[in-house]
Amino acid sequence: MPDYEFRDRQKNERKAVTWEPFTAQHAIERVRIVLHFTQAIQPKQVSSLAALVEAKRAELELGPQTSTNTNVVELDASTGDARISKQPSGWSFSKTTSEGAAVEALLLNPQFLLYEAATYDHWESFWPRYNALTSDLRARIQSDINVRAVALEYLDRFRFEGDVGAAEPGLLVREPIVGSLPDSVRSGRELWHVHRGWFEGDEPRRYLVNQNFDAQSVQDSGGAEVRSIALATKVERQSATGDLDISSLPDDIEIMHTLSKRVVRDTLSDEMCKRVGLAE
């Protein structure tokens, strides 16, 4: 891969940029869409939603259902004896590669329905897959279950190729974000974490944007220390009245996708935006 160069303003010399995206095409490690329920759903609803997925599991190329259960204790009023029964409290269906690596997962518990893709190519293929997996579920949810929020979450990851003590965040992230960090962090010597959030838009479509930057230090397979930055970007729509009409979910998700791209574009350096296909 070609190196991109920046000018060192203090020394007036040029240095190679050594932050690299998660893959050669982009930095996306994971994408999630989450529907948050207004109230915890009942075990009967958990089971009925699982049955919808099970009916199309082979067609959707998903693995077998994994269930989670909750122990429920009931007391006999006449004898005082306790009876313990198991009730379904959640489930998941997943798809893996032949080597067992995760590809995607569909998960439900009483609080939310979550879809996660651990491999991502393009939005044009991601959304049709999500729609195929969840269209029947969303129709049932729309008729029987109230939804308070929907969220689109991206996790981007970048690794530093070189001396971890020189992993300057300013080579990857724009100045307004790293400008308030201490010199020890700006130089790349220390780990760091930044959280920021704000609202965009007006009702009835108002969105909460959250971003987390997390510099991490791990060891590679050879035992050498490697520095990386995980960038988590979440856009969430909540209803001012308490419930959302998820019949408009395709429009909402498209808006959140576009907003997420703009937020990440405004976060990363111009050079990295070119690398990951976000340059305007």
Side-chain angles (χ1 to χ4, degrees):
M1 300 178 186
D3 284 334
Y4 293 86
E5 294 184 334
F6 285 77
R7 183 170 297 278
D8 187 316
R9 296 177 181 177
Q10 292 183 342
K11 297 182 180 180
N12 196 34
E13 64 185 20
R14 300 185 72 82
K15 59 169 68 175
V17 170
T18 48
W19 286 105
E20 295 288 345
F22 182 67
T23 72
Q25 292 77 30
H26 56 71
I28 298 171
E29 183 176 302
R30 184 188 72 211
V31 186
R32 287 176 172 173
I33 295 179
V34 189
L35 302 183
H36 295 276
F37 306 138
T38 304
Q39 295 179 327
I41 64 175
Q42 299 301 309
K44 185 178 295 186
Q45 293 171 306
V46 172
S47 298
S48 67
L49 291 170
L52 292 177
V53 182
E54 184 62 41
K56 298 174 64 177
R57 182 169 68 84
E59 175 186 342
L60 296 170
E61 300 181 320
L62 294 173
Q65 175 184 340
T66 300
S67 299
T68 55
N69 298 298
T70 300
N71 290 331
V72 177
V73 180
E74 297 177 313
L75 293 177
D76 188 310
S78 60
T79 65
D81 294 336
R83 184 181 65 183
I84 300 177
S85 61
K86 292 184 180 294
Q87 292 189 357
S89 59
W91 47 257
S92 65
F93 294 86
S94 62
K95 182 179 180 180
T96 60
T97 66
S98 57
E99 292 79 22
V103 174
E104 62 183 350
L106 185 64
L107 181 150
L108 179 133
N109 70 27
Q111 284 73 43
F112 58 77
L113 172 69
L114 179 151
Y115 171 68
E116 175 177 302
T119 59
Y120 180 91
D121 293 320
H122 302 283
W123 181 257
E124 290 74 17
S125 58
F126 172 84
W127 172 256
R129 177 61 175 170
Y130 173 78
N131 196 46
L133 287 167
T134 66
S135 58
D136 291 346
L137 294 171
R138 291 181 352 241
R140 179 70 58 83
I141 290 170
Q142 185 175 348
S143 64
D144 298 341
I145 300 169
N146 293 328
V147 174
R148 65 171 180 81
V150 56
L152 174 63
E153 305 174 12
Y154 285 93
L155 178 64
D156 295 275
R157 188 176 300 278
F158 306 86
R159 69 184 185 278
F160 190 74
E161 301 289 346
D163 180 5
V164 294
E168 300 177 34
L171 299 177
L172 175 67
V173 181
R174 294 185 187 274
E175 178 65 22
I177 297 166
V178 301
S180 62
L181 297 173
D183 290 343
S184 61
V185 172
R186 290 169 58 84
S187 69
R189 295 195 308 272
E190 301 293 343
L191 299 176
W192 57 283
H193 178 87
V194 168
H195 171 80
R196 63 178 189 159
W198 65 94
F199 285 94
E200 294 211 10
D202 300 313
E203 295 293 351
R205 280 199 165 99
R206 187 162 171 79
Y207 300 94
L208 172 63
V209 180
N210 274 301
Q211 268 196 321
N212 281 282
F213 305 80
D214 193 21
Q216 302 169 343
S217 185
V218 298
Q219 288 187 335
D220 63 16
S221 57
E225 185 181 6
V226 178
R227 186 68 56 85
S228 71
I229 291 179
L231 170 59
T233 304
K234 179 172 79 169
V235 177
E236 180 175 282
R237 183 189 174 196
Q238 301 177 351
S239 172
T241 61
D243 297 325
L244 288 177
D245 178 4
I246 63 169
S247 64
S248 64
L249 185 67
D251 291 338
D252 280 325
I253 293 295
E254 183 64 34
I255 292 171
M256 289 190 283
H257 166 61
T258 301
L259 178 54
S260 297
K261 287 178 62 177
R262 176 172 64 77
V263 169
V264 174
R265 182 186 301 120
D266 292 344
T267 296
L268 300 176
S269 67
D270 289 339
E271 288 73 13
M272 186 55 74
C273 285
K274 294 175 185 176
R275 292 287 306 278
V276 298
L278 286 175
E280 292 184 301

